[in-house]
């Protein structure tokens, strides 16, 4: 029965994976209802076969009103469609579409210059219209950019990382990433530090000792940063500045597993930076991150994977520019050609994690990690042609932008296999 099937699937999956990050996705992947899965999770947890945690996720759902617009068109489009080419008396039009739709839709249709309300007749000013509101509502109904990206990762065989902790220690956000303690990003001008609780209680002691060593004197072919590493600095709590902090935790866990098993992980969640808010920057935004950990990976693999990933998002022309991150070498900024703007725009950052990071965790010498990160808002802005990020996220979002912007569909998802990656 369904219960036994769910039990088998959960235990079977957890035999070769650390976590089931999303019970909703898992339920649909094994073809049972979420309610059923939930009760099986609860009973397995009660018997201490597994540990489970309630995770809250934001999801956009259409109201009953919006569902009707997604189905029948926006009020203004409904009004427009009800106006015949020869025009129609106002009262008749109102009767045809209903007074509610007439009330909301007619003024917007006039504003859009779709119809004209004369003394006698309401008449068309254009032959046909594009109902972008309906398209946008439909795309929310189908999941918007976030879910599309999630699907791309799932189809590429990535597992989701658990990212539900916004508070992180400096250790996992910076130190474990071989980011020196004097780095400007660790200043309160760039990072939000916590007052209460200001420090973390738990850090893995053996590993911490190794991280200290590699900062101070180096190792694995590196001479280190040659300064006195301070534990107090690593203990400071902060709001994570990137989801790479979570990737680092996951990689550390993976490195402890023997024998080594290759993994592909992704996450999409919120990060925080203490920076001046302007048209392209926000103090909090969503970051998308992907990584592949395997033996003998090269920069060629990274470029191949990035091409596949961004092509799935409809960005087919990419260029890479050498960059610097304390934790990756080589590092590359990713640019995509924007047809509308007719120029190259930056869409993300990427690289191969440094041996100072991976070897300190305990990975074998031939294991490399290719990784990339980008903000969710960035491709959304590019794909929807929005040029001020505050129009997209935060208290100042203007519904008219959503109404007026053209729908942009994400392109087809390409099948992916490591063997196809060009060198
Ligand atoms: N952490 C980087 C950022 O915040 C993104 C990144 C992830 C870069 C992984 C390289 C590798 O921009």
């Amino acid at each position: 029965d369904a219960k036994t099937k769910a039990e088998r699937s959960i235990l079977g999956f957890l035999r070769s994976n650390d976590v089931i990050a999303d019970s909703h996705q898992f339920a649909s992947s094994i073809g049972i209802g979420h309610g059923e899965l939930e009760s099986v999770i609860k009973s397995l947890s009660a018997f201490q076969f597994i540990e489970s945690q309630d995770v809250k996720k934001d999801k956009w759902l259409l109201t009953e009103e919006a569902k009707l617009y997604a189905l029948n068109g926006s009020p203004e489009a409904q009004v427009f469609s009800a106006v015949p080419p020869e025009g129609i008396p106002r009262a008749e039009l109102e009767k045809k579409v209903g007074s509610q739709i007439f009330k909301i839709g007619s003024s917007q249709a006039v504003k859009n210059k779709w119809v004209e309300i004369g003394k006698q007749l309401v008449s068309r000013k254009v032959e046909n219209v594009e109902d972008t509101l309906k398209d946008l509502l439909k795309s929310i109904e189908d999941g918007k950019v976030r879910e599309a990206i999630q699907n791309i990762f799932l189809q590429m065989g990535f597992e989701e990382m658990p990212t539900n902790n916004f508070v992180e220690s400096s250790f996992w956000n910076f130190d474990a990433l071989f980011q020196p303690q004097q780095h400007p990003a660790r200043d309160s001008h760039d990072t939000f530090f916590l007052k209460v609780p200001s420090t973390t209680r738990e850090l893995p002691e053996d590993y911490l000792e190794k991280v200290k060593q590699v900062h101070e004197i180096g190792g694995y072919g590196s001479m280190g940063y040659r300064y006195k590493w301070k534990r107090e600095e690593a203990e400071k709590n902060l709001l994570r500045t990137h989801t790479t902090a979570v990737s680092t935790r996951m990689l550390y866990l993976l490195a402890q597993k023997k024998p080594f098993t290759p993994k592909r992980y992704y996450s999409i969640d919120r990060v925080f930076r203490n920076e001046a808010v302007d048209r392209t920057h926000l103090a909090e935004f969503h970051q998308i991150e992907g990584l592949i950990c395997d033996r003998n990976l090269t920069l060629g693999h990274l470029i191949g994977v990035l091409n596949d990933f961004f092509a799935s998002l409809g960005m087919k022309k990419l260029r890479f520019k050498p960059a610097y991150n304390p934790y990756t070498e080589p590092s590359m900024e990713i640019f995509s050609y924007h047809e509308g703007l007719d120029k190259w725009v930056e869409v993300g950052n990427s690289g191969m994690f440094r041996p100072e990071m991976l070897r300190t965790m305990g990975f074998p010498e031939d294991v490399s990690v290719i990784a990339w990160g980008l903000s969710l808002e960035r491709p959304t802005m590019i794909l929807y042609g929005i040029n001020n990020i505050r129009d997209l996220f935060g208290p100042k979002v203007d519904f008219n932008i959503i109404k007026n912007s053209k729908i942009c569909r994400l392109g087809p998802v390409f099948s992916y296999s490591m063997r196809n990656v060009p060198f």
Side-chain angles (χ1 to χ4, degrees), residues 241-242 244 273 287 289 325 327-328 349-351 353 371-373:
T241 63
H242 51 185
T244 317
R273 296 199 189 159
Q287 201 165 45
E289 181 142 334
N325 294 311
Y327 40 92
T328 51
N349 184 0
S350 66
F353 285 133
W372 69 102

Side-chain angles (χ1 to χ4, degrees), residues 137-282:
L137 291 173
K138 272 187 93 66
S139 77
I140 291 176
E141 222 173 22
D142 307 337
K144 222 163 152 197
V145 174
R146 186 196 167 112
E147 241 165 272
I149 291 175
Q150 190 147 341
N151 287 334
I152 292 169
F153 275 119
L154 292 175
Q155 297 198 23
M156 287 169 78
F158 284 65
E159 289 168 44
E160 191 177 10
M161 298 186 271
T163 47
N164 52 326
N165 57 314
F166 295 167
V167 174
E168 192 49 274
S169 62
S170 294
F171 181 78
W172 289 110
N173 196 83
F174 295 127
D175 295 277
L177 281 150
F178 198 56
Q179 191 138 334
Q181 296 191 323
Q182 309 77 8
H183 194 279
R186 302 180 66 145
D187 193 273
S188 61
H189 291 294
D190 290 297
T191 299
F192 292 114
F193 287 94
L194 257 72
K195 282 201 175 130
V196 187
S198 63
T199 56
T200 183
R201 269 175 291 161
E202 263 175 65
L203 290 173
E205 292 302 326
D206 287 4
Y207 175 49
L208 178 133
E209 198 46 49
K210 290 181 189 143
V211 168
K212 175 185 154 98
Q213 290 270 322
V214 81
H215 277 244
E216 289 190 343
I217 59 169
Y220 320 111
S222 164
M223 60 185 278
Y225 290 120
R226 316 240 149 187
Y227 70 99
K228 184 150 176 37
W229 187 85
K230 292 205 192 82
R231 187 191 177 105
E232 306 84 79
E233 201 56 50
E235 281 176 346
K236 285 186 187 166
N237 278 335
L238 43 77
L239 291 179
R240 68 169 175 232
T241 63
H242 51 185
T243 44
T244 317
V246 182
S247 305
T248 308
R249 278 178 180 273
M250 294 299 282
L251 284 171
Y252 171 69
L253 287 178
L254 185 62
Q256 309 318 301
K257 276 208 181 145
K258 309 280 163 20
F260 168 73
T261 16
K263 283 277 177 195
R264 294 169 197 194
Y265 288 130
Y266 81 94
S267 65
I268 306 173
D269 211 338
R270 209 172 278 211
V271 299
F272 307 84
R273 296 199 189 159
N274 193 2
E275 46 188 38
V277 172
D278 65 22
R279 56 193 306 116
T280 52
H281 295 94
L282 286 169

Side-chain angles (χ1 to χ4, degrees), residues 382-394:
I382 293 166
L383 292 168
Y384 285 96
I386 295 168
N387 58 22
N388 186 336
I389 200 162
R390 278 170 295 180
D391 292 335
L392 191 68
F393 189 66

Side-chain angles (χ1 to χ4, degrees), residues 340-361:
L341 295 176
D342 191 23
K343 63 175 186 186
W344 292 88
V345 286
E346 199 194 329
V347 289
N349 184 0
S350 66
M352 301 185 68
F353 285 133
R354 295 187 75 106
E356 289 94 326
M357 175 178 163
L358 300 181
R359 301 286 307 283
T360 305
M361 290 174 168

